Amino acid sequence: MRIRTLYFCYCLSVVGVLLALPATAATPDPWLDHNGRLPARSDHAGPLFKLSHDYPSGLPAPHMPWRTAINNAPIGTSNAAAYTQALKDAVARDMVALLLDEGDWDAGRRGWYNDPWLGAQREAVHGMLVGLERVDDDLFPKSGLTKPFTTYVITYYNRIGAQTLGAIWRDPHNPQLNGGATQYAEGSVTVKLAFTTAGPAEWPAMRGALSWPMMMTANATTGQFERPTLGKAWLMQVDIVVKDTQSAPQTGWVFATLVYDRNTRPGSRGVWDQMVPLGAQWGNDPRVDSAANPGAPLQETWINPSAPLYATETLGWGGRLSGPNDHGVNDISVADVARGGQRVLLRRAGNSSCLSCHGASQWNAANPAKGMASFMMPLVPGDAKAGAPYMNSPAPGSNEWLRWFQNRAGDVAMDTGSMAGDYDLALTFRVLPAWHEAKSGKKHALQKLDAGGVAVQRE
Ligand code: HEC
């Protein structure tokens, strides 16, 4: 009898273990390095991606050479080139190490950090995430792109910025979003690298560009979308953004971007020297009516007059800064009120920019399944199918449209009832949705740029 009972108990505990095991295995690890799909050793002998997440805290204000580069004055169109150059110089040593000397790269030792919760989305070699799954070739008519491409991206935060990641994710299962936890300190710098699967054979603009091997799950250039395959992607764009309320008092941020330029000669830093500024943006120019006057000069965007042609093909609304990786140009559908609401299709409309898109970073804790209360680009709320397959856009320049083109401080949310994300979209568009997905077991609505049932033509 005793033995039977014991046996019975043993059985139960085995069942218990069997039941518990899959559940344990399925609990996602917030600090997962990558998706585990490894290249064959014979194809790739180099190191694999390690997530850098030993976030620091309590750091003093850093040295900010970009401020001194403009004599501690506000940034403007006349000094933005100097400012952008100082930003580029400030990260140069580390970025050269990351880009050109892979074997020696130790992010944490150099003070660069990544976001949690994205491991399942990261490929194994460099920790890259799919940025845009498909960018159509007709988006770049002047620079000879012959195939669509996919972009792969990775983001690194400097020590100052990583303190914010530490504050939010102290308990990775229970993010802290209140009490200013999402706000970045002065001198926070975030760098985002964007690679394209269109190489020199499909896009002359990429001749001589740096390429990285990656385990790709999507490649619109080759048409390969199934099992992970080791492929190459070329470095197209490097974003460098900085929290700097002294230089940019209205938004608190300067968004700068570098793009690969095959016509610039490499110097001692190789391809890094060929990453030239496309421009910088520190406000949305809310008072410049680019709908009435598309060529109106901007005061809060600077575009490098000698930027390569391909990178200027996708500038945002009225020429506001947006790069080839940024989805700032779209075919949009607008209801023409003057003609009884008849729909007009505006092809290749610049409907976004760095700061207008990033200004939509916010999180509604009461509705985490949605998260961001407004879409990132001007969109008429409500009937998601109206205008399909294009974005149902408010008329360019209308009051509704201008909601996206205001200058707000980083702690002021675009919509009331939401927590402001301080212009960080990685947090509200990628990381919080991934965390919520892991927690709820349900697919999150925001994981693609065509969120909310809106088919974005250029995806
Ligand atoms: C139409 C929307 C859109 C535009 C325009 C845009 N971005 Fe982003 N950006 C995103 C999204 C979404 C993410 C987060 C997901 C990812 O990294 O793919 C992001 C991430 C980033 C990051 C990583 C950290 C963070 O703040 O989220 C940086 C840095 C960045 N973008 C810089 C820029 C710069 C510089 C420009 C303009 C040249 C720009 N972005 C234009 C949508 C946009």
Side-chain angles (χ1 to χ4, degrees), residues 249-383:
Q250 291 197 48
T251 61
W253 285 92
V254 178
F255 274 56
T257 194
L258 313 175
V259 290
Y260 174 68
D261 178 19
R262 69 181 166 125
N263 293 323
T264 293
R265 290 275 200 90
S268 61
R269 287 181 155 145
V271 75
W272 180 253
D273 296 320
Q274 296 175 284
M275 300 307 297
V276 304
L278 171 59
Q281 189 187 19
W282 50 95
N284 282 303
D285 274 299
R287 283 184 300 278
V288 176
D289 187 349
S290 303
N293 179 6
L298 302 169
Q299 307 304 323
E300 296 165 358
T301 278
W302 164 74
I303 303 295
N304 175 7
S306 45
L309 175 72
Y310 81 91
T312 63
E313 293 189 84
T314 47
L315 291 174
W317 185 45
R320 287 164 183 77
L321 184 61
S322 187
N325 177 50
D326 295 324
H327 224 294
V329 172
N330 294 279
D331 294 343
I332 60 176
S333 170
V334 176
D336 188 344
V337 186
R339 285 194 278 161
Q342 198 184 319
R343 294 216 152 261
V344 191
L345 176 61
L346 301 180
R347 289 215 178 263
R348 298 182 53 80
N351 69 336
S352 196
S353 71
C354 309
L355 277 141
S356 58
C357 194
H358 278 259
S361 173
Q362 54 181 347
W363 191 257
N364 185 347
N367 187 5
K370 177 147 200 254
M372 279 167 58
S374 289
F375 190 53
M376 296 179 289
M377 290 175 257
L379 193 70
V380 177
D383 186 359

Side-chain angles (χ1 to χ4, degrees), residues 172-325:
H173 297 279
N174 188 21
Q176 170 68 43
L177 301 175
N178 298 318
T182 60
Q183 297 296 302
Y184 285 92
E186 299 293 317
S188 293
V189 173
T190 314
V191 177
K192 176 177 167 182
L193 311 177
F195 289 71
T196 168
T197 58
E202 297 84 23
W203 204 7
M206 289 301 122
R207 246 177 241 155
L210 173 81
S211 71
W212 266 5
M214 305 170 193
M215 280 299 276
M216 295 179 179
T217 39
N219 187 336
T221 307
T222 60
Q224 163 75 267
F225 285 94
E226 281 117 44
R227 58 194 167 74
T229 310
L230 193 68
K232 272 210 280 187
W234 285 262
L235 180 63
M236 170 173 71
Q237 184 173 336
V238 176
D239 297 324
I240 313 175
V241 307
V242 59
K243 181 72 172 277
D244 182 358
T245 306
Q246 173 179 300
S247 307
Q250 291 197 48
T251 61
W253 285 92
V254 178
F255 274 56
T257 194
L258 313 175
V259 290
Y260 174 68
D261 178 19
R262 69 181 166 125
N263 293 323
T264 293
R265 290 275 200 90
S268 61
R269 287 181 155 145
V271 75
W272 180 253
D273 296 320
Q274 296 175 284
M275 300 307 297
V276 304
L278 171 59
Q281 189 187 19
W282 50 95
N284 282 303
D285 274 299
R287 283 184 300 278
V288 176
D289 187 349
S290 303
N293 179 6
L298 302 169
Q299 307 304 323
E300 296 165 358
T301 278
W302 164 74
I303 303 295
N304 175 7
S306 45
L309 175 72
Y310 81 91
T312 63
E313 293 189 84
T314 47
L315 291 174
W317 185 45
R320 287 164 183 77
L321 184 61
S322 187
N325 177 50

Side-chain angles (χ1 to χ4, degrees), residues 78-142:
S78 60
N79 61 15
Y83 189 97
T84 304
Q85 187 60 43
L87 259 189
K88 181 185 175 189
D89 292 344
V91 303
R93 188 198 285 247
D94 291 337
M95 289 306 124
V96 169
L98 169 60
L99 291 168
L100 304 179
D101 191 14
E102 296 169 43
D104 184 36
W105 175 249
D106 178 339
R109 189 166 52 79
R110 287 180 178 269
W112 294 94
Y113 304 86
N114 310 110
D115 285 304
W117 283 116
L118 303 178
Q121 300 175 43
R122 291 187 195 275
E123 61 79 42
V125 180
H126 289 287
M128 308 300 288
L129 306 161
V130 171
L132 303 172
E133 207 163 85
R134 184 193 162 92
V135 177
D136 279 343
D137 35 324
D138 63 2
L139 202 50
F140 296 90
K142 298 178 192 156

